[in-house]
Amino acid sequence: MPKMKSNRGAAKRFRRSSSGGFKRGQSHRRHILTKKSTKRKRQLRSIEQVCEADTRSVRRMLPYS
């Protein structure tokens, strides 16, 4: 049986965390940064956990991670 392909867009966005879930970066940090406060931009740097409702679909897109 051939290997399954992973979704390349998902592979660039999600990484497996040590607890078994997936971690992701946050959005809204690419452009139009002048109107956003320093506090808001700083808080967007942090890594977030993918919520439980979306974990199943991420797992299907990344079969080998």
Side-chain angles (χ1 to χ4, degrees), residues 16 20-22 49-60:
R16 176 69 81 163
F22 288 92
Q49 192 81 9
V50 174
C51 66
E52 289 295 321
D54 298 324
T55 303
R56 181 172 170 247
S57 59
V58 173
R59 195 178 296 125
R60 290 173 75 182

Side-chain angles (χ1 to χ4, degrees), residues 15-56:
R15 296 279 179 261
R16 176 69 81 163
S17 66
S18 59
S19 63
F22 288 92
K23 54 187 177 178
R24 62 170 178 85
Q26 295 199 48
S27 59
H28 307 292
R29 276 269 303 176
R30 296 289 180 195
H31 57 95
I32 316 175
L33 297 172
T34 52
K35 66 173 74 171
K36 294 170 187 156
S37 68
T38 309
K39 178 183 178 181
R40 183 173 163 192
K41 290 184 280 191
R42 183 174 61 248
Q43 289 175 340
L44 287 171
R45 284 184 214 149
S46 62
I47 302 297
E48 290 289 311
Q49 192 81 9
V50 174
C51 66
E52 289 295 321
D54 298 324
T55 303
R56 181 172 170 247

Side-chain angles (χ1 to χ4, degrees), residues 3-21:
K3 290 194 280 187
M4 294 172 64
K5 287 192 172 186
S6 61
N7 183 302
R8 298 316 293 160
K12 294 168 189 174
R13 286 171 173 82
F14 305 110
R15 296 279 179 261
R16 176 69 81 163
S17 66
S18 59
S19 63

